């Protein structure tokens, strides 16, 4: 928190849904920051909303999402609902004059997300890609910009976990489940951040669960133009793991200490290999959810630089267009244009 931050009134948040990421990560991070105040939570089950409010120290509980959105004391809405509900409630909240921080993906398809472009200009609407606020990612980008590995040409990403529970929203096709929407966006965002470019075409090989129909393993090749590319593998039914490797013309940069699910109490590291020598740079612990919430609050309070640091609707659309192209490639077996 900076001296300037001390002059900012905290943003009053309402939370739609009692999801695990909200309960365990985002709400505690918000409550730890003087820039945020979580004043309400809603569930379709009012008893559950009340129980979660009591457990998390939140004053108001609602038995419907609409009732929370109508609360005049709520300035901003955090949405960790299942993917297929993101656009409807982002629209409802923003049209009611609320600022919106929505979990990724902000929509299931680019076509669905385009409705968000027509929102009134006042509310801040952002997709919750918390990694871009973590110091390890900011430092990795700075190292690449400084020429630590020469011109970057290739990003490799692997991200996986094991979950075969058919009742889990990640395994429900109608809810926007599957590996590509759940964690594939991290691979795409990694390339966009580290190569400073956007995808132009994409190719995918996808394996689907025979029982649920969701994509459980996705291998992709994404062309970002000018000789820059992303290769990735994301899976929801294999051993947990995550790493990012950037190849440059003069060396490599590796993030292999939880680049996506960084713990707030454990430091991270960046490995740079150049001319046969390895340099390891330690990164101090940081709560990326708190940093994300604080950037959002600064944007709400009118700081242009903070708004630029968020993942807005236009940026979200780039990632979703890439996801759409990868799914089209599943059907055609060929490169598909991102657009």
């Amino acid at each position: 928190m900076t001296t300037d931050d001390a002059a900012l009134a905290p943003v009053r948040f309402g939370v739609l849904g009692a999801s695990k990421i909200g309960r365990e990560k985002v709400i505690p991070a918000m409550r730890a920051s003087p820039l945020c105040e979580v004043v309400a939570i809603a569930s379709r089950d009012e008893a559950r909303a009340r129980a979660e409010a009591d457990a998390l120290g939140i004053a108001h509980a609602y038995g419907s999402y609409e009732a929370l959105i109508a609360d005049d004391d709520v300035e901003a809405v955090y949405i960790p609902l299942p993917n297929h509900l993101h656009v409807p409630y982002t629209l409802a909240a923003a049209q009611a004059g609320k600022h919106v921080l929505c979990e990724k993906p902000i929509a299931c398809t680019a076509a669905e997300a385009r409705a968000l472009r027509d929102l009134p200009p006042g509310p801040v609407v952002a997709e919750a890609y918390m990694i871009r606020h973590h110091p390890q990612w900011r430092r990795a980008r700075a190292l690449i910009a400084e020429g630590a590995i020469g011109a970057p040409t290739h990003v490799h990403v692997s991200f996986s976990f094991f979950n075969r529970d058919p009742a889990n929203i990640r395994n429900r096709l109608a809810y926007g489940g599957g590996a590509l929407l759940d964690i594939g966006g991290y691979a795409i965002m990694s390339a966009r951040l580290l190569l400073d470019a956007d995808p132009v075409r994409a190719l995918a090989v996808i394996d689907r669960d025979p029982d649920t129909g969701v994509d459980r393993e996705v291998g992709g090749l994404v062309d970002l133009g000018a000789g820059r590319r992303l290769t990735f593998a994301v899976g929801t039914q294999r051993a947990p793991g995550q790493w990012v490797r950037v190849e440059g013309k003069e060396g490599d940069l590796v993030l292999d200490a939880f680049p996506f699910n960084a713990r707030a109490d454990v430091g991270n590291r960046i490995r740079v290999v150049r001319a046969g020598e390895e340099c390891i740079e330690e990164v101090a612990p940081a709560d990326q959810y708190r940093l994300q919430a604080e950037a959002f609050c600064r944007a709400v309070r009118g700081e242009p630089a903070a708004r630029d640091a968020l993942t807005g609707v236009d940026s979200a659309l780039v990632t979703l267009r890439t996801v759409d192209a990868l799914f089209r490639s599943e059907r055609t077996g060929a490169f598909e244009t991102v657009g």
Side-chain angles (χ1 to χ4, degrees):
M1 182 172 174
T2 68
T3 303
D4 290 341
D5 287 342
L8 299 178
V11 173
R12 299 184 304 279
F13 281 90
V15 179
L16 298 189
S19 71
K20 181 177 180 180
I21 190 172
R23 297 193 317 269
E24 297 184 2
K25 299 292 185 182
V26 179
I27 295 173
M30 287 179 172
R31 295 189 70 229
S33 172
L35 298 186
C36 310
E37 184 180 359
V38 183
V39 299
I41 189 168
S43 170
R44 287 175 171 169
D45 179 340
E46 188 169 359
R48 184 181 181 190
R50 184 69 267 165
E52 295 295 345
D54 291 343
L56 294 165
I58 298 170
H60 302 291
Y62 292 101
S64 76
Y65 306 142
E66 292 77 9
L68 184 147
I69 290 171
D71 185 341
D72 290 336
D73 193 43
V74 171
E75 287 183 272
V77 174
Y78 167 60
I79 302 178
L81 296 170
N83 294 342
H84 71 300
L85 297 177
H86 287 179
V87 167
Y89 284 102
T90 296
L91 287 170
Q95 287 166 350
K98 314 295 187 186
H99 306 282
V100 180
L101 178 62
C102 181
E103 273 303 330
K104 56 83 206 154
I106 205 166
C108 293
T109 66
E112 186 184 16
R114 277 195 286 271
L116 302 176
R117 283 183 142 179
D118 298 327
L119 287 171
V124 174
V125 176
E127 186 178 40
Y129 267 105
M130 71 291 182
I131 61 170
R132 64 188 304 160
H133 303 280
H134 196 287
Q136 67 175 324
W137 284 87
R138 291 182 177 273
R139 182 59 181 152
R141 294 184 72 189
L143 285 166
I144 292 169
E146 293 164 6
I149 59 172
T153 61
H154 200 152
V155 173
H156 305 267
V157 176
S158 180
F159 192 5
S160 59
F161 60 84
F162 193 93
N163 181 348
R164 288 207 67 195
D165 178 6
N168 189 281
I169 59 171
R170 292 171 180 81
N171 293 316
R172 301 184 71 171
L173 198 60
Y175 286 13
L180 193 50
L181 279 171
D182 188 43
I183 54 178
Y186 287 112
I188 298 165
M189 184 61 74
S190 298
R192 294 180 61 201
L193 290 173
L194 298 171
L195 296 176
D196 195 24
D198 288 336
V200 295
R201 60 178 184 148
L203 176 71
V205 176
I206 296 178
D207 176 56
R208 291 187 176 272
D209 186 293
D211 298 319
T212 65
V214 299
D215 48 302
R216 61 184 177 184
E217 188 71 38
V218 181
L221 172 59
V222 180
D223 177 9
L224 291 92
R228 295 163 296 189
R229 57 203 179 277
L230 159 70
T231 55
F232 71 90
V234 294
T236 60
Q237 293 183 20
R238 58 182 165 94
Q242 51 186 270
W243 52 262
V244 177
R245 183 184 187 95
V246 189
E247 295 180 355
K249 291 187 178 296
E250 299 172 22
D252 297 341
L253 181 149
V254 180
L255 303 174
D256 58 3
F258 296 100
F260 304 116
N261 297 134
R263 286 175 51 180
D265 59 341
V266 176
N268 298 89
R269 65 174 179 259
I270 300 171
R271 294 194 292 119
V272 174
V273 181
R274 182 168 178 158
E277 296 186 3
E278 181 180 74
C279 175
I280 298 178
E281 185 169 324
E282 300 293 336
V283 180
D287 187 338
Q288 58 189 347
Y289 296 100
R290 174 172 173 171
L291 293 172
Q292 173 181 258
E294 290 178 341
F296 183 83
C297 291
R298 293 187 193 103
V300 167
R301 294 294 179 242
E303 293 188 15
R307 193 160 189 162
D308 291 344
L310 300 174
T311 305
V313 172
D314 286 343
S315 181
L317 274 164
V318 173
T319 299
L320 286 166
R321 290 186 190 112
T322 308
V323 169
D324 289 349
L326 288 161
F327 279 133
R328 290 197 304 273
S329 177
E330 176 190 15
R331 298 190 295 271
T332 65
F335 270 104
E336 292 290 327
T337 300
V338 175

